[in-house]
Amino acid sequence: MTLPSTQDEWLAVIYRAQRDIPSEKVSYKAPKLGTVEFAKCIDHTLLKLEATEAQINQLCDEAIRHDFKAGLPFSVLFISFCSVHSVCVRLKWVSLAAKKLSGTSVVVACVVGFHEGTYSTSEKVQEASEAVDVGASELDMVLNYELLKSKDYSAVLADIEAVRKMAPFPTVLKVILETSQLSSIEIIAACKIAQAAEADFVKTSTGFNGTGASAENVNLMKSVVQGSVKVKASGGVKTVRDCVRMMEAGAERIGTSSGVSIVKEAHGTLEDVTDEVGHSNQPSSKLRESPRILDTEY
């Protein structure tokens, strides 16, 4: 595919994508609660600058404690909890997390250019390279949304492409858009640029700037990338009910600092509530009674 090289060419791509968005909202099926598929949608996260070694150890211990061990009979598994997909940390803690999680099914994700996104491309590439070298399997990089807002689309593309080139497949690359700072047309533009850069995911938010994820923006992002790129929702996703709403809007990964608590809550909720949450203003009694879980980012 020939990539756009001028602003006019980019605008043509962006407005064509806008026209192709379905007029009616598309709803997607969330994985059944309490299953491996549901748990594996979750990135268990700790990104506070003041995070301590003890807190990172706790984050990993939680993931290890609830790691799903393949091959165990259901009679054993039902008293355990399926594991989250990853733990997501800053570069400082990647090596520790990788060592703690070695031998488990949980991988390490590292943020890049976090959380402003305005780091130089060379700084992002260096940070990403160091993260991969010490054990990160996934990178969550922040898009330079100031360049995006100035319509310097080729510069935004080059920024993402540089990180993608340094960390090709099988490293998973997620591009954080910071949707709370963008208009709908800017979200569409960001999605098309990330798609052109061969990112694996577009992601709503850092959780440190603005309102975080909304089902509306998740659905918009899903409609734009149309399956070639996946969508991650992060920012304010704290309960099973929040997760299901984002998944039904199109999210295939959830970023939250309450990951293990959500997996526990989902495992304890035996009924399949996805249709009810998606089509009713009244959640099931199980979800209505679910406690709000302390969440400081994502």
Side-chain angles (χ1 to χ4, degrees):
M1 180 182 70
T2 302
L3 296 177
S5 59
T6 67
Q7 188 182 68
D8 286 344
E9 290 174 348
W10 274 113
L11 288 172
V13 169
I14 292 162
Y15 287 118
R16 183 165 60 249
Q18 184 185 42
R19 290 194 302 271
D20 289 343
I21 293 171
S23 57
E24 295 185 4
K25 178 182 175 181
V26 179
S27 183
Y28 301 87
K29 186 172 178 59
K32 189 173 181 180
L33 301 184
T35 63
V36 180
E37 291 74 20
F38 183 91
K40 284 300 182 185
C41 290
I42 294 175
D43 291 342
H44 190 39
T45 302
L46 180 57
L47 296 172
K48 294 184 296 184
L49 277 172
E50 64 271 24
T52 65
E53 182 175 343
Q55 290 173 320
I56 299 298
N57 277 320
Q58 180 181 349
L59 185 82
C60 295
D61 286 341
E62 289 174 339
I64 293 169
R65 189 179 309 123
H66 302 297
D67 188 31
F68 180 84
K69 300 299 185 183
L72 290 178
F74 182 77
S75 58
V76 176
L77 289 175
F78 88 98
I79 60 173
S80 301
F81 297 103
C82 307
S83 70
V84 296
H85 180 86
S86 78
V87 296
C88 186
V89 295
R90 290 180 184 260
L91 175 59
K92 177 181 179 179
W93 302 116
V94 170
S95 179
L96 172 62
K99 290 175 183 176
K100 291 279 291 184
L101 296 170
S102 178
T104 76
S105 65
V106 183
V107 302
V108 179
C110 179
V111 290
V112 174
F114 198 86
H115 67 276
E116 299 88 347
T118 54
Y119 294 79
S120 69
T121 298
S122 61
E123 288 174 313
K124 289 181 180 178
V125 169
Q126 180 63 32
E127 188 174 25
S129 177
E130 291 178 17
V132 171
D133 286 346
V134 295
S137 300
E138 303 193 352
L139 302 171
D140 290 37
M141 73 168 288
V142 186
L143 174 142
N144 192 322
Y145 57 87
E146 290 187 359
L147 287 178
L148 180 76
K149 293 182 80 68
S150 68
K151 296 184 173 60
D152 194 348
Y153 304 124
S154 293
V156 177
L157 174 67
D159 189 52
I160 302 170
E161 282 186 322
V163 176
R164 175 82 284 181
K165 182 178 179 181
M166 190 288 306
F169 181 84
T171 301
V172 173
L173 178 62
K174 313 185 199 94
V175 178
I176 307 173
L177 309 189
E178 205 68 284
T179 50
S180 67
Q181 306 304 306
L182 304 177
S183 66
S184 293
I185 196 66
E186 288 168 341
I187 291 172
I188 293 170
C191 287
K192 295 306 294 183
I193 294 169
Q195 187 177 39
E198 300 184 354
D200 299 291
F201 282 81
V202 285
K203 174 178 170 182
T204 58
S205 321
T206 63
F208 286 78
N209 189 359
T211 55
S214 72
E216 179 182 7
N217 283 337
V218 168
N219 198 248
L220 173 62
M221 293 159 66
K222 182 74 171 181
S223 297
V224 173
V225 297
Q226 296 181 351
S228 63
V229 177
K230 297 179 180 179
V231 178
K232 176 176 174 179
S234 58
V237 184
K238 302 177 182 180
T239 67
V240 166
R241 184 184 181 191
D242 295 334
C243 285
V244 171
R245 282 180 168 167
M246 295 302 166
M247 291 170 174
E248 290 193 334
E252 294 165 272
R253 192 78 67 82
I254 302 293
T256 176
S257 59
S258 301
V260 168
S261 296
I262 288 172
V263 171
K264 288 182 180 180
E265 182 187 354
H267 188 83
T269 305
L270 301 179
E271 62 207 86
D272 184 352
V273 298
T274 56
D275 288 339
E276 186 177 351
V277 172
H279 303 293
S280 171
N281 291 326
Q282 295 298 320
S284 74
S285 59
K286 284 280 188 181
L287 294 183
R288 191 162 56 242
E289 294 164 3
S290 298
R292 298 297 290 183
I293 301 165
L294 180 62
D295 191 58
T296 54
E297 74 263 338
Y298 269 61

